[in-house]
């Protein structure tokens, strides 16, 4: 995979409207789903108790439900996991301490493994999510300031647009597939935000460098030529990096076990979204904003010149 | 002249092998020790976690929960956990009125939870629930587990501060009619509890015992017989000595993890980590050839140093932490990839291996720096504003980024530099994954 910028015909900017509308439609669908169906909130965000039973032999959901019924409990949901040797029973509303101890000792006697019992009031999960959200807003502000200082304000704005695009992308996918959202999911979204910034900054760094090499960049065509050149130059790096990170996240997803499934799935989705936004959204948004800025400046300069010309005329 | 240059070349390569061997020996000799030293989080080794909301004691509702009260509560909890013999408890104050207790590797969770949340307010009342004497009248730290002289039953003995007071109380009670001459010993009596109701409750009763007092007792020692097992008697003596809690603790959330599931998750995650890293190594070597091999060396060093720093910080490794570590490998790889791509770009423009290496390293540096600083900025905000799970993740991310920056930028540069400067790689762009025909002849 070598992409030679001198011979490459790849045009990333030409189809920007298609990329923008794809993302806009996709995220819109996400918003609609979010406000109607909502996310499948796990026990971290909905009050209740989950009991995770490790049986070390193949079991069926019916068997586990029967076991619960034998000791007088009726779980709201039983899901099998692992090689069908783990069952996760949830009780919305929750079990009392005594009840969970009873359940634990029953399954301990049955399979020789103490089940995990997690009881949680949703306050904790909600606060964590809120807390994470506020942290991201503060971090975004910090990033804009840093990028404005090191690059230019418009790069910062475009990077933050890409960042929120990626975070919303994961949330949209999760509201479509209705996978359970838990606290590790939030950690995954945060990771992707970090990755997304990293990825976007690397391409922006190349755009900044190429901009300084150009003698005159004024029209949209000239801006997009620089963007295209920069994206092609960093393409091998973008692909190789995302591939290696996907190796790690994919290994976690496929063989990392139940405990990491939601986390690693969110990571893989986010990595795809992050690469997509770095290649097709961030730089294009920047190109549009930059052209507008250049136009404004040119108009100002023209007005200034016209004004000066007028003054000169009146003087003579 | 030529001989001397050859000598320098050889010594540069010798230096490379010395560094690699030293690193290899260092890693091989103590990597396992470091792995074993890592404190594992609850999700990995089992145990339980309780989040308490701290509230003023009954009858003191007007008291504000302040920082001092919280710290006092934490020390009282620590003293109690000593009774349990848990090696590395983690007790943290969160927010204004919350305390999170994490106990890893506790076998008997039921016992531990009871021990933690009981207030350990020992009170002596009569059958009409009139308070006769409480913990404040006992000698501090004077509770002991003993055996009853006659029945050999485990008992708890406490010592009264003032022998006269106890004699007065026992005199008063012994003079009451039979059936009412009981000294009721309560643990955590609350307004509204009554002897009549509570004695019917059997095992869960807050009444430890209610001995009949037939004659005044002129002794400072009080024996509490409560139908205990030896262990229960020891625990009770232990928490009485640890002192009563200055506040009431309400369980907000409870998360308990069976150790077997934890171990299983750990094995799976570690395995997945190895597979992921092996794939990355293979890919790097296949794509970047010689530079890829150097990257594999520095990436191994990266994983090792992250482990060492992690231990040194006494941080607790959780599942998201492992994920952050593996993701950190990705970030370290990225720094390598950015540098290598730059070197390849320079080679393609027809530069010599030596100047391509120099220019590539120099020009990639600011890119890597900016990308790392922005990510660290995000991680630092997460650490500062985040709570437990998010914080653990942020710590691992910051450690990973800093280490990856050092190993991938300086480590790779040093190791690759030794080879490049030995001139042995001159005119061998193939080793860098650059084909001859890609090289721009016009510029050379």
């Amino acid at each position: 995979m070598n992409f030679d910028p001198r011979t490459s015909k790849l045009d990333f900017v030409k189809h920007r409207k298609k990329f923008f509308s794809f993302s806009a439609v996709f995220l819109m669908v996400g918003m609609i789903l979010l406000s109607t169906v909502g996310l499948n909130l796990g026990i971290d965000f909905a009050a209740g108790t989950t009991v995770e039973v490790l049986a070390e032999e193949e079991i069926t959901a019916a068997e586990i439900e029967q076991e619960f019924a034998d000791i007088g409990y009726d779980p709201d949901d039983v899901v099998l996991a692992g090689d069908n040797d783990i069952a996760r029973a949830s009780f919305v509303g929750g079990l009392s301490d005594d009840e969970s101890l009873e359940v634990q000792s029953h399954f301990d006697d049955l399979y020789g493994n103490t089940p995990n019992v997690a009881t949680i009031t949703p306050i904790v999960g909600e606060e964590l999510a809120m807390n994470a959200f506020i942290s991201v807003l503060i971090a975004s502000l910090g990033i804009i300031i840093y990028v404005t200082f090191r690059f230019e304000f418009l790069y910062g704005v475009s990077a933050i647009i890409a960042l929120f695009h990626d975070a919303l992308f994961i949330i949209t996918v999760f509201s479509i597939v209705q996978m359970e959202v838990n606290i590790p999911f939030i950690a995954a979204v945060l990771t992707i935000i970090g990755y997304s910034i990293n990825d976007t900054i690397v391409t922006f760094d190349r755009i900044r460098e190429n901009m300084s090499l150009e003698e005159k960049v004024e029209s949209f065509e000239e801006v997009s030529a620089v963007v295209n050149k920069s994206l092609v130059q960093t393409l091998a790096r973008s692909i190789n990096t995302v591939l290696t990170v996907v190796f790690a996240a994919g290994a976690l997803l496929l063989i990392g076990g139940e405990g990491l499934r939601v986390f690693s799935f969110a990571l893989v989705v986010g990595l795809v979204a992050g690469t997509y936004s770095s290649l097709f959204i961030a730089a294009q948004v920047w190109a549009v904003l930059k052209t507008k800025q250049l136009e404004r400046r040119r108009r100002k300069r023209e007005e200034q010149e016209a004004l000066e010309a007028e003054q000169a005329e009146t003087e003579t | 002249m030529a001989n001397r240059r050859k000598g320098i070349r050889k010594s540069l390569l010798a230096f490379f092998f010395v560094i690699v061997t030293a690193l290899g020996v260092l890693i091989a000799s103590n990597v396992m020790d470091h792995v074993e030293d890592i404190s594992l989080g609850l999700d990995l080794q089992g145990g339980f976690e309780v989040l308490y909301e701290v509230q003023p004691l009954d009858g003191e509702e007007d008291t504000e929960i302040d920082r001092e009260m919280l710290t006092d509560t934490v020390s009282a909890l620590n003293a109690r956990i000593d009774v349990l013999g848990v090696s590395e408890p983690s007790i943290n104050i969160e927010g204004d009125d919350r305390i999170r207790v994490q106990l890893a590797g506790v076998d008997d969770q039921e016992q531990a939870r009871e021990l933690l949340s009981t207030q350990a307010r020992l009170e002596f009342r009569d059958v009409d629930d009139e308070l006769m004497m409480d913990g404040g009248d006992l000698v501090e730290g004077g509770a002991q587990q003993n055996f009853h002289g006659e029945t050999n039953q485990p008992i708890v003995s406490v010592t009264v501060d003032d022998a006269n007071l106890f004699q007065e109380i026992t005199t008063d009670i012994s003079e009451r009619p039979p059936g009412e001459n009981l000294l009721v010993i309560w643990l955590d009596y609350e307004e509204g509890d009554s002897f009549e109701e509570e004695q019917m409750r059997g095992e869960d009763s807050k009444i430890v015992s209610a001995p009949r007092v037939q004659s005044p007792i002129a002794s400072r020692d009080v024996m509490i017989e409560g139908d205990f097992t030896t262990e229960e008697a020891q625990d009770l003596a232990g928490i009485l000595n640890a002192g009563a809690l200055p506040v009431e603790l309400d369980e907000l959330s409870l998360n308990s993890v069976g150790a077997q599931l934890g171990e299983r998750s750990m094995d799976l995650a570690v395995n997945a980590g190895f597979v992921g890293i092996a794939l990355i190594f293979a890919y790097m070597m296949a794509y970047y050839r010689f530079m890829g091999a150097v990257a594999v060396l520095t990436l191994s060093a990266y994983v090792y140093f992250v482990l060492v720093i992690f231990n040194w910080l006494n941080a607790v490794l959780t599942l998201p932490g492992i994920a952050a570590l593996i993701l950190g490998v990705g970030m370290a790889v990225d720094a390598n990839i950015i540098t290598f791509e730059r070197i390849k770009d320079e080679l393609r423009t027809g530069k010599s291996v030596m100047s391509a290496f120099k220019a590539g390293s120099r020009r990639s540096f600011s890119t890597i720096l900016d990308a790392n600083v922005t990510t660290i900025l995000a991680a630092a905000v997460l650490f500062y504003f985040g709570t437990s799970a998010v914080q653990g993740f942020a710590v691992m991310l910051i450690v990973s980024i800093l280490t990856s920056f050092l190993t991938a930028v300086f480590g790779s540069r040093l190791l690759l530099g030794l080879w490049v400067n030995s001139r042995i790689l001159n005119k061998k762009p193939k080793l860098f994954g650059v084909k001859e025909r890609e090289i721009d002849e016009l510029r050379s």
Side-chain angles (χ1 to χ4, degrees):
Chain A
M1 268 182 292
N2 286 318
F3 301 98
D4 194 330
R6 285 159 295 175
T7 55
S8 164
K9 292 263 179 339
L10 291 171
D11 192 340
F12 291 93
V13 185
K14 195 173 155 200
H15 300 290
R16 68 189 179 286
K17 289 203 172 119
K18 287 179 196 156
F19 305 135
F20 290 164
S21 9
F22 169 75
S23 286
V25 168
F26 189 76
L27 296 182
M28 197 82 84
V29 168
M31 289 295 128
I32 292 169
L33 278 177
L34 213 54
S35 57
T36 51
V37 190
L39 288 168
N40 174 9
L41 295 180
I43 208 78
D44 294 341
F45 301 101
T49 305
T50 48
V51 178
E52 202 175 50
V53 180
L54 173 67
E56 283 182 355
E57 55 186 271
E58 211 160 294
I59 43 170
T60 64
E63 272 172 41
I64 295 296
E65 268 172 41
Q66 188 54 45
E67 284 300 332
F68 274 108
D70 285 352
I71 47 171
Y73 293 98
D74 179 22
D76 293 291
D77 191 21
V78 176
V79 183
L80 291 186
D83 306 322
N84 283 344
D85 57 349
I86 297 174
R88 200 175 293 128
S90 21
F91 296 88
V92 174
L95 298 177
S96 74
D97 298 350
D98 295 335
E99 285 170 337
S100 33
L101 286 171
E102 190 185 343
V103 168
Q104 274 189 320
S105 71
H106 177 76
F107 284 100
D108 198 5
D109 292 345
L110 196 63
Y111 297 118
N113 290 318
T114 319
N116 288 347
V117 174
T119 303
I120 201 152
T121 45
I123 321 169
V124 182
E126 279 165 15
E127 275 178 11
L128 186 83
M130 203 57 213
N131 178 298
F133 181 67
I134 292 169
S135 309
V136 168
L137 289 185
I138 297 170
S140 304
L141 203 68
I143 290 163
I144 291 192
I145 293 171
Y146 179 80
V147 173
T148 305
F149 173 68
R150 287 279 297 173
F151 292 67
E152 191 183 281
F153 180 66
L154 290 182
Y155 289 104
V157 173
S158 318
I160 298 305
I161 291 176
L163 177 161
F164 278 100
H165 171 270
D166 299 346
L168 277 176
F169 198 97
I170 307 178
I171 294 172
T172 302
V173 169
F174 268 72
S175 68
I176 293 172
V177 299
Q178 286 290 308
M179 210 176 199
E180 193 181 279
V181 170
N182 52 16
I183 286 177
F185 170 80
I186 293 186
V189 174
L190 297 176
T191 314
I192 289 308
I193 286 173
Y195 174 82
S196 166
I197 299 164
N198 187 73
D199 211 34
T200 312
I201 293 297
V202 171
T203 44
F204 281 1
D205 180 72
R206 190 57 79 102
I207 296 179
R208 170 180 64 172
E209 188 186 318
N210 286 332
M211 284 294 277
S212 66
L213 294 178
E214 297 293 323
E215 281 170 14
K216 180 179 97 86
V217 184
E218 275 181 356
S219 67
F220 183 71
E221 281 68 37
E222 285 160 339
V223 173
S224 40
V226 173
V227 167
N228 267 326
K229 184 176 156 201
S230 312
L231 286 176
V232 171
Q233 281 173 344
T234 51
L235 194 55
R237 173 262 154 195
S238 300
I239 293 174
N240 282 346
T241 296
V242 77
L243 267 183
T244 50
V245 186
V246 164
F247 285 154
L252 284 182
L253 175 64
L254 296 177
I255 57 172
E258 263 315 295
L260 285 172
R261 183 125 316 154
V262 170
F263 179 85
S264 45
F265 180 68
L267 273 188
V268 172
V269 170
L271 287 171
V272 173
T275 310
Y276 168 75
S277 74
S278 295
L279 287 179
F280 302 113
I281 302 286
Q284 287 76 351
V285 168
W286 177 83
V288 172
L289 293 177
K290 183 73 190 172
T291 316
K292 285 211 174 119
Q293 187 197 50
L294 289 173
E295 266 171 20
R296 259 200 316 275
R297 280 190 191 157
R298 201 181 55 212
R299 218 174 300 139
K300 229 180 206 171
R301 207 173 47 230
E302 279 168 5
E303 276 169 22
Q304 193 83 31
E305 277 165 11
L307 210 67
E308 275 165 18
E310 232 171 75
Q311 276 172 350
E313 223 164 79
T314 47
E315 268 169 33
T316 50
Chain B
M1 205 44 202
N3 275 342
R4 218 172 99 203
R5 203 177 289 154
K6 226 174 215 171
I8 294 172
R9 280 183 204 178
K10 270 192 187 154
S11 60
L12 284 173
L13 291 188
F15 190 46
F16 171 86
F17 286 110
V18 167
I19 294 177
V20 171
T21 318
L23 199 66
V25 170
L26 179 71
I27 293 178
S29 67
N30 66 7
V31 68
M32 285 329 282
D33 294 344
H34 283 294
V35 169
E36 278 162 21
D37 277 353
I38 287 184
S39 347
L40 299 177
L42 290 180
D43 47 357
L44 297 180
Q45 72 157 317
F48 77 103
E49 175 186 64
V50 197
L51 183 65
Y52 290 111
E53 190 171 46
V54 178
Q55 282 177 344
L57 288 177
D58 249 23
E60 300 174 12
E61 273 83 3
D62 299 336
T63 347
E64 283 237 359
I65 300 292
D66 54 17
R67 199 74 192 169
E68 200 188 326
M69 259 171 132
L70 288 173
T71 5
D72 285 351
T73 311
V74 169
S75 7
L77 287 175
N78 259 319
R80 285 180 185 194
I81 291 167
D82 275 347
V83 176
L84 282 171
V86 175
S87 57
E88 284 177 48
S90 140
I91 306 179
N92 296 308
I93 299 175
E94 285 185 5
D96 295 329
D97 60 351
R98 289 184 187 172
I99 294 178
R100 187 186 294 272
V101 179
Q102 293 180 309
L103 300 177
V106 171
D107 299 327
D108 192 344
Q109 301 186 357
E110 189 183 357
Q111 178 211 12
R113 275 170 63 198
E114 270 175 23
L115 204 64
L116 281 178
S117 59
T118 177
Q119 292 176 14
R121 274 185 297 121
L122 197 65
E123 286 174 340
F124 299 80
R125 290 172 183 267
D126 65 9
V127 285
D128 301 322
D129 306 317
E130 200 70 42
L131 179 68
M132 313 296 284
M133 187 172 93
D134 63 21
D137 298 314
L138 301 177
V139 174
E140 249 180 72
Q144 264 185 327
Q145 184 263 318
N146 272 322
F147 292 98
H148 193 282
E150 287 156 30
T151 59
N152 227 5
Q153 277 289 312
I155 55 162
V156 175
S157 69
V158 292
T159 313
V160 185
D161 240 354
D162 180 358
N164 288 334
L165 176 73
F166 193 53
Q167 194 170 6
E168 268 168 40
I169 293 168
T170 46
T171 311
D172 176 7
I173 289 182
S174 65
E175 280 164 1
R176 299 186 186 193
E180 286 175 33
N181 58 351
L182 303 177
L183 182 63
V184 188
I185 305 174
W186 289 81
L187 198 60
D188 299 346
Y189 175 88
E190 272 178 278
E191 206 85 27
D193 285 339
S194 80
F195 170 63
E196 253 175 275
E197 280 173 31
E198 199 68 21
Q199 65 172 345
M200 315 297 286
R201 289 189 50 191
E203 266 203 20
D204 288 337
S205 170
K206 292 180 191 169
I207 297 171
V208 184
S209 74
R212 178 170 298 124
V213 183
Q214 277 159 327
S215 55
I217 304 169
S219 154
R220 291 180 61 196
D221 294 325
V222 184
M223 289 189 293
I224 306 173
E225 296 170 65
D227 220 4
F228 300 122
T229 64
T230 313
E231 205 179 333
E232 282 167 351
Q234 268 169 356
D235 285 350
L236 180 59
I239 55 172
L240 288 177
N241 287 337
L245 290 181
V247 294
E248 199 171 300
L249 296 178
D250 280 350
E251 284 186 3
L252 267 189
S253 79
L254 170 79
N255 191 356
S256 67
V257 186
Q260 297 91 343
L261 270 173
E263 218 168 275
R264 205 181 132 102
S265 310
M266 175 75 179
D267 288 346
L268 285 172
V270 169
N271 265 337
F274 276 124
V275 171
I277 291 175
L279 283 172
I280 293 175
F281 283 5
Y283 185 80
M284 287 300 279
M285 296 220 266
Y287 194 89
Y288 292 105
R289 312 290 167 86
F290 187 77
M291 295 189 290
V294 171
V296 166
L297 291 174
T298 57
L299 286 173
S300 311
Y302 155 80
V303 174
Y304 173 74
F305 287 125
V306 167
L307 283 180
V308 173
I309 295 170
F310 200 67
N311 271 342
W312 179 64
L313 287 175
N314 272 328
V316 177
L317 189 66
T318 57
L319 285 179
I322 291 185
L325 171 79
I326 296 166
L327 203 76
V329 175
M331 308 260 315
V333 174
D334 188 41
N336 277 306
I337 289 180
I338 291 173
T339 312
F340 297 167
E341 282 298 330
R342 271 292 183 165
I343 295 177
K344 282 171 78 169
D345 280 351
E346 303 293 337
L347 282 173
R348 284 194 203 112
T349 64
K351 280 194 180 135
S352 74
V353 167
M354 270 176 97
S355 57
F357 167 73
K358 271 190 198 132
S361 304
R362 188 170 42 79
R363 299 176 80 178
S364 59
F365 184 79
S366 80
T367 312
I368 299 171
L369 185 71
D370 281 333
N372 278 277
V373 169
T374 31
T375 315
I376 278 202
L377 201 70
V381 171
L382 291 184
F383 178 73
Y384 190 77
F385 294 98
T387 44
S388 54
V390 174
Q391 266 186 339
F393 176 76
V395 170
M396 201 61 181
L397 200 59
I398 293 173
V399 169
S400 299
I401 295 172
L402 289 177
T403 319
S404 83
F405 188 74
L406 292 178
T407 55
V409 174
F410 297 110
S412 294
R413 211 185 263 193
L414 172 75
L415 293 181
L416 197 55
L418 290 174
W419 280 90
V420 169
N421 289 326
S422 77
R423 292 159 196 269
I424 238 172
L425 303 177
N426 280 2
K427 310 236 157 96
K428 288 177 185 134
K430 253 191 190 158
L431 282 173
F432 293 84
V434 175
K435 295 185 189 81
E436 303 273 358
R437 61 174 165 79
E438 292 172 353
I439 296 174
D440 197 343
E441 294 293 344
L442 288 172
R443 297 205 197 172
S444 58

